[in-house]
Amino acid sequence: MFSRRHFAFAWLLLMAIASPARGYALGQPRFVNHTASTGSFTVAASGRTATLYVDHEDFPGVVRAAQDLQADVERVTGLKPGFISNSDAVSGTVILIGTISKSRLIDRLIKEHKLNVETIKGKWESSIIQVIDKPIPGVDRALVIAGSDKRGTIFGIYDLSEQIGVSPWYWWADVPITHKDSLYVQAGRYVQGEPAVKYRGIFLNDEAPALTGWVNANYGGYNHKFYEKVFELLLRLRANYLWPAMWGSAFNEDDPENARLADEYGIVMGTSHHEPMLRAQQEWKRHGTGPWDYSANSEVLNKFWSEGIDHNKNFESTITLGMRGDGDMPMTEGANITLLETIVAYQRKIIADHSTPTLKTDPQVWALYKEVQQYYEKGMRVPDDVTLLWCDDNWGNIRRLPTVEERKRSGGAGIYYHFDYVGDPRNYKWINTNPIEKVWEQMNLALNYGADRIWIVNVGDLKPMEFPIEYFLTLARNPERWGKDQTLEFTRQWAAREFGEDHANEIAELMDTYTRYNGRRKPELLDVDTFSLINYREADRVENDWRALLAKAEGVQKQLPENEKDAYFELILHPIKASAIVNELYISAGRNRLYATQGRADANDFAIQARSLFKADAELTSEYNHLLAHGKWNHMMDQTHLGYTYWQEPPLNVMPAVVEVQPAAEARIGVIAEGAPDAIGVQYLSFDNFQRQTHFIDIFNHGLTPFHYSASTNSPWITLNETSGEVEKERRVEVSIDWAKINSGEQEGKIIVTQQNGPSAVVNVQATRSQTPSPESLNGFVESDGYVSIEAEHFTHVTSAGAVHWDRIPGYGATFSGMTIFPVTAPSVAASQATAALQYRMYFFDSGTLNLETTLGPTLNFVPGRGLRFAVWFDDQLPQVVDSLEHNSESDWAKAVSDGVRRVETKLNITQPGYHTLNFGMVDPGIVLEKFVVSAGSIKPSYLGPPESFHNFPMNTDAAQK
């Protein structure tokens, strides 16, 4: 179906006509052009460049970033700007870079009222870029980059770098830099204010075998040469925070330069949720004595922690408090709240005893990860100036957010989030499976509930999470610019920056689509039974979706210039091709097993196909590791991803098992109608004049000898796309209805399929033509095949309750989109109160008890003391309040995160056939509604559920305006 998502892409295509040329900072006004305009400042033209000036007394990180700008101008133009730090030598055309109160020239401009910094002075990480005429004697024009603090200046520098055409991913994803002869900054004043989230960063975790193998091969370990690349990337993304790799390394100890350079660059360092007091887990393994147990070994642990604080007392950090068990495990059974409070109190004493100006401003953080949150809920508290770091469930669903009272704490709150995870119900660390629409939905909750002090996301090996990393960090900096309706715009701007305007729309759609497909089921969770091979042509549709997407991706790749193909392979083509292969591999292995049970001779063909796809997966991995960018990224695709049997990854990729059959020597016909599991029993096909389905009959061979078949019907309204042919292994005959030849009501007919000189098989056909209602007169949805399936965005009417209203999150979820309540902080309501509600009008041919299957996003009850409830009712019935988390056992949660949705079943009644309106009302905010299926009985099993039912909306309904 042509969804609103497709209309959005069409809109972006129109917008592209007026879009700027390649090279601009995402979401920012474009201020760099390649032709001069009135009052513009010349960065480079006619073989000359402006000189860069940075005061030698400014922060070393600012000087270093300015040197990056010098290199960036040369990367773009081939011309290397001059670089000076002596203010007496400044003359001509100059880019003046400096931090307020650290740069003499910047302070002079402020004092002489030539530069107004009132909007950024004293602010966190803010900057101004402004063209100023005759700023000082001897300087005709200057481009001023002024920062409120160290990172404010650095981010201003990188704003200019990105605007002139240097992607933050120029090194990490090999994004090419397009040559330009001239660069001009438009006259004006460009202000970057404070970020919405103070500390924004990534966690390199679960980093073996891929990242660790690559780092060891290229740097000999996690030393400063490696981390310099990470620091630079983070700053170019306007991030400021890092939890370093930790499973086999120790950031501070492995290379003494690591911590010093992080501080110099401007990166705030933290340690993970289970590594307190700036000490790595590996440091304890190397030097610790006795048990990791405070009740039995407090003196040793206090000394160990004191050394960590002392080592980093002058480096900007966040300090993790508390304690988990060794190796990121729960503490011992005897651990209790009193002990943890004692631990935190002594840790804070250690920090106070080593007090420095840096330590006084370093945030202290308590990560409420897994069982630690339970301690908090049972009454454990830390001082108000400690930041509470709330966590997701490791699958992108935030477990808890601050209450109104908790938002008053001076330490504030943050979020530890995941794009990668090792643990139940299954590791996912191979490839990007993170749709940014889901990221927006959850992090928007975090912002609105006051968790805005720290955002840290587990990104695994860093590659191949490039795209969601940038989105997460950009959203954290400026969420107002990137609302729910701008996710596609973000993706398109990103595609245009990396690959130019010509293919930006296509590439954006490729990125959006593959992440949505991977988001509905992570590759590590796939198996031969995931997608139904029998019902709704589901496996066929999934396979065709991936094939079509891959064909489009390969088509774009052929049109790109050679220097863009490495980046395109890393960011687009490889994840699509890799995911397509894995999906098709499991579907092929599933067909092999199914066809073997059905006795089909071509079962063996799918065994061969599965083996071929398994080989293709290995070859694609080898291409990434050994051929891409001349082997630059060798080991980055070492992660195993095939053959999981429980949560932990297999040591080697294992092909799904296939079977072989021994076909009979002679020909023998088999006939299976669509939807039948086998050729045994009555075969039938059902049609109606709403869906106007096309079904199929598979005519297959049990033997090795080909045979001729013929097919006929006993009713002129049954149409076959072919009536005879040669069957070597299988032929598929499409069956449809000529509705002009059929009377109203239910009609029955037969299809007779005969093997030449052999047996026959009969397929019964039932066709229903309704006149009341007819497809043309229908007002809403209509029952077909015993169910009504509805995408959430296709409501027929909607009501609000004051400011509380339903709105759409475009692209959210497995199929179309999600509907959720805004504002997300709306108070819960009782079912008896007027509530914001969505209405869905539908027609039933029978009455009685109906089963409502509601498909929701896997959101958790992030507000303590309440569930995640909604109300449903037909027509004027009393609302029935349903808690989507009523059954929230460990197995329920595992199923929800594995499926990417939560399905909730409710019984409702209608007393007569005809039109009825299903109402879905808000009780608690936070629910994201994706889909309904209303059925009179059990629906056929499938992963994605039945396709949407036929519907017709007259032009005067709300639905017609959507």
Side-chain angles (χ1 to χ4, degrees), residues 61 150-151 231 251 257-269 314-317 358:
K150 174 170 63 177
R151 279 186 297 274
F231 299 156
F251 179 81
E257 287 291 279
N258 282 347
R260 185 190 70 79
L261 284 172
D263 191 69
E264 180 179 301
Y265 269 71
I267 298 298
V268 181
M269 294 303 301
N314 296 315
F315 299 149
E316 196 177 5
S317 311
T358 301

Side-chain angles (χ1 to χ4, degrees), residues 631-646:
K632 176 180 177 180
W633 301 112
N634 188 23
H635 297 296
M636 273 294 189
M637 276 299 132
D638 283 358
Q639 179 60 52
T640 57
H641 49 276
L642 294 170
Y644 278 81
T645 58
Y646 68 119

Side-chain angles (χ1 to χ4, degrees), residues 746-916:
E746 291 186 0
Q747 308 294 323
E748 294 186 348
K750 296 181 184 299
I751 301 170
I752 302 94
V753 183
T754 304
Q755 176 184 343
Q756 187 177 29
N757 301 320
S760 298
V762 175
V763 177
N764 296 295
V765 176
Q766 183 183 68
T768 302
R769 179 171 184 170
S770 171
Q771 282 191 324
T772 308
S774 67
E776 295 75 23
S777 67
L778 179 70
N779 182 4
F781 288 81
V782 65
E783 176 188 356
S784 176
D785 198 21
Y787 68 84
V788 180
S789 177
I790 304 175
E791 296 291 340
E793 70 172 51
H794 292 154
F795 52 85
T796 49
H797 189 67
V798 61
T799 58
S800 299
V804 179
H805 65 283
W806 289 94
D807 205 351
R808 187 174 66 107
I809 305 176
Y812 178 98
T815 49
F816 273 57
S817 62
M819 297 296 298
T820 195
I821 282 288
F822 293 95
V824 295
T825 54
S828 300
V829 299
S832 58
Q833 293 178 258
T835 183
L838 297 163
Q839 283 98 42
Y840 300 86
R841 182 175 168 88
M842 60 195 76
Y843 191 94
F844 293 100
F845 293 100
D846 295 293
S847 61
T849 300
L850 298 174
N851 184 66
L852 171 66
E853 182 185 79
T854 305
T855 300
L856 306 169
T859 312
L860 298 173
N861 51 334
F862 52 87
V863 174
R866 78 172 192 210
L868 204 60
R869 298 165 296 172
F870 58 90
V872 287
W873 67 99
F874 270 117
D875 305 323
D876 296 325
Q877 297 173 359
L878 290 175
Q880 183 177 160
V881 175
V882 180
D883 188 347
S884 65
L885 296 172
E886 179 183 3
H887 306 292
N888 194 31
S889 66
E890 189 72 16
S891 61
D892 292 325
W893 166 82
K895 180 169 176 52
V897 297
S898 298
D899 293 349
V901 298
R902 178 174 289 107
R903 293 185 175 91
V904 182
E905 294 196 355
T906 313
K907 297 297 182 184
L908 297 170
N909 287 281
I910 56 173
T911 58
Q912 60 186 14
Y915 283 109
H916 296 275

Side-chain angles (χ1 to χ4, degrees), residues 344-517:
V344 170
Y346 203 89
Q347 288 171 338
R348 284 171 59 85
K349 181 179 183 303
I350 291 171
I351 296 167
D353 289 346
H354 291 81
S355 182
T356 63
T358 301
L359 280 176
K360 286 180 179 178
T361 58
D362 282 346
Q364 297 174 22
V365 180
W366 186 33
L368 301 167
Y369 185 72
K370 289 192 175 181
E371 81 288 342
V372 181
Q373 181 180 324
Q374 298 173 19
Y375 302 150
Y376 183 88
E377 305 295 5
K378 291 177 181 178
M380 179 178 173
R381 292 295 180 265
V382 294
D384 271 10
D385 61 350
V386 175
T387 301
L388 299 181
L389 191 65
W390 300 101
C391 305
D392 69 355
D393 60 355
N394 304 302
W395 289 75
N397 307 296
I398 295 172
R399 300 171 68 201
R400 171 79 145 74
L401 287 171
T403 63
V404 174
E405 284 302 310
E406 289 164 348
R407 287 172 223 165
K408 298 174 184 177
R409 299 178 68 262
S410 60
I415 296 293
Y416 170 36
Y417 202 70
H418 284 76
F419 291 160
D420 166 288
Y421 180 58
V422 169
D424 288 328
R426 189 67 55 88
N427 294 356
Y428 65 96
K429 45 188 294 201
W430 172 50
I431 212 160
N432 177 23
T433 60
N434 302 283
I436 62 173
E437 295 83 1
K438 168 70 178 294
V439 177
W440 179 87
E441 182 264 331
Q442 286 289 295
M443 301 316 294
N444 180 62
L445 292 176
L447 280 169
N448 281 277
Y449 281 81
D452 58 3
R453 191 64 54 90
I454 296 171
W455 282 12
I456 184 83
V457 58
N458 186 325
V459 300
D461 302 308
L462 195 153
K463 294 179 73 68
M465 302 297 175
E466 299 96 337
F467 179 69
I469 286 173
E470 181 158 9
Y471 179 75
F472 181 89
L473 297 174
T474 304
L475 182 68
R477 184 164 180 83
N478 191 3
E480 289 188 4
R481 173 63 182 83
W482 299 113
K484 67 180 179 62
D485 295 313
Q486 283 77 49
T487 52
L488 262 184
E489 183 188 354
F490 178 89
T491 309
R492 194 202 175 281
Q493 284 198 18
W494 172 87
R497 186 193 67 193
E498 310 303 52
F499 301 105
E501 288 290 344
D502 289 349
H503 300 286
N505 286 303
E506 295 167 281
I507 292 171
E509 188 168 8
L510 290 167
M511 173 63 79
D512 178 78
T513 305
Y514 105 71
T515 50
R516 178 162 53 85
Y517 288 172

Side-chain angles (χ1 to χ4, degrees), residues 677-699:
D678 52 48
I680 301 170
V682 177
Q683 302 281 308
Y684 73 94
L685 297 172
S686 180
F687 301 82
D688 65 73
N689 65 324
F690 294 102
Q691 298 289 117
R692 301 206 170 198
Q693 304 93 335
T694 297
H695 289 306
F696 65 78
I697 299 171
D698 279 348
I699 304 168

Side-chain angles (χ1 to χ4, degrees), residues 197 382 544 647 773 902 917 962:
V197 178
V382 294
N544 290 335
W647 69 267
R902 178 174 289 107
T917 298
K962 295 198 297 290

Side-chain angles (χ1 to χ4, degrees), residues 502-780:
D502 289 349
H503 300 286
N505 286 303
E506 295 167 281
I507 292 171
E509 188 168 8
L510 290 167
M511 173 63 79
D512 178 78
T513 305
Y514 105 71
T515 50
R516 178 162 53 85
Y517 288 172
N518 271 346
R520 65 192 179 190
R521 187 80 176 181
K522 297 182 186 296
E524 293 89 341
L525 282 156
L526 292 172
D527 60 40
V528 297
D529 299 316
T530 298
F531 300 113
S532 177
L533 294 158
I534 297 172
N535 299 318
Y536 311 119
R537 302 195 188 188
E538 183 174 67
D540 291 352
R541 287 188 290 118
V542 169
E543 186 176 54
N544 290 335
D545 283 348
W546 278 113
R547 286 179 176 175
L549 192 68
L550 178 56
K552 185 172 183 178
E554 290 177 330
V556 172
Q557 193 258 1
K558 291 174 183 176
Q559 300 176 60
L560 295 176
E562 200 61 35
N563 70 335
E564 293 182 1
K565 289 185 176 178
D566 282 347
Y568 184 76
F569 183 84
E570 292 168 55
L571 298 170
I572 302 295
L573 184 57
H574 173 268
I576 291 175
K577 191 171 185 178
S579 302
I581 287 171
V582 170
N583 275 266
E584 191 168 355
L585 169 59
Y586 280 109
I587 290 171
S588 296
R591 284 203 188 100
N592 162 256
R593 296 189 196 182
L594 176 65
Y595 286 12
T597 64
Q598 294 173 344
R600 300 195 191 199
D602 61 347
N604 293 343
D605 294 347
F606 288 98
I608 293 169
Q609 183 171 312
R611 293 188 183 100
S612 176
L613 288 163
F614 185 68
K615 181 181 178 183
D617 174 84
E619 290 171 345
L620 187 64
T621 296
S622 180
E623 181 180 356
Y624 195 111
N625 280 345
H626 303 302
L627 300 180
L628 171 65
H630 306 291
K632 176 180 177 180
W633 301 112
N634 188 23
H635 297 296
M636 273 294 189
M637 276 299 132
D638 283 358
Q639 179 60 52
T640 57
H641 49 276
L642 294 170
Y644 278 81
T645 58
Y646 68 119
W647 69 267
Q648 183 59 287
E649 65 200 45
L652 297 170
N653 283 325
V654 180
M655 194 185 88
V658 294
V659 297
E660 292 192 358
V661 299
Q662 190 174 66
E666 72 285 354
R668 191 166 78 245
I669 190 172
V671 175
I672 293 182
E674 180 178 353
D678 52 48
I680 301 170
V682 177
Q683 302 281 308
Y684 73 94
L685 297 172
S686 180
F687 301 82
D688 65 73
N689 65 324
F690 294 102
Q691 298 289 117
R692 301 206 170 198
Q693 304 93 335
T694 297
H695 289 306
F696 65 78
I697 299 171
D698 279 348
I699 304 168
F700 62 90
N701 198 345
H702 288 290
L704 296 173
T705 305
F707 65 86
H708 189 84
Y709 88 93
S710 61
S712 60
T713 75
N714 68 348
S715 302
W717 43 267
I718 301 175
T719 301
L720 308 178
N721 73 325
E722 67 174 41
T723 57
S724 64
E726 194 79 5
V727 178
E728 182 179 354
K729 293 181 179 178
E730 176 190 281
R731 289 183 82 102
R732 178 161 287 185
V733 177
E734 299 286 345
V735 183
S736 58
I737 303 300
D738 185 343
W739 294 101
K741 296 180 179 178
I742 193 169
N743 297 323
S744 299
E746 291 186 0
Q747 308 294 323
E748 294 186 348
K750 296 181 184 299
I751 301 170
I752 302 94
V753 183
T754 304
Q755 176 184 343
Q756 187 177 29
N757 301 320
S760 298
V762 175
V763 177
N764 296 295
V765 176
Q766 183 183 68
T768 302
R769 179 171 184 170
S770 171
Q771 282 191 324
T772 308
S774 67
E776 295 75 23
S777 67
L778 179 70
N779 182 4

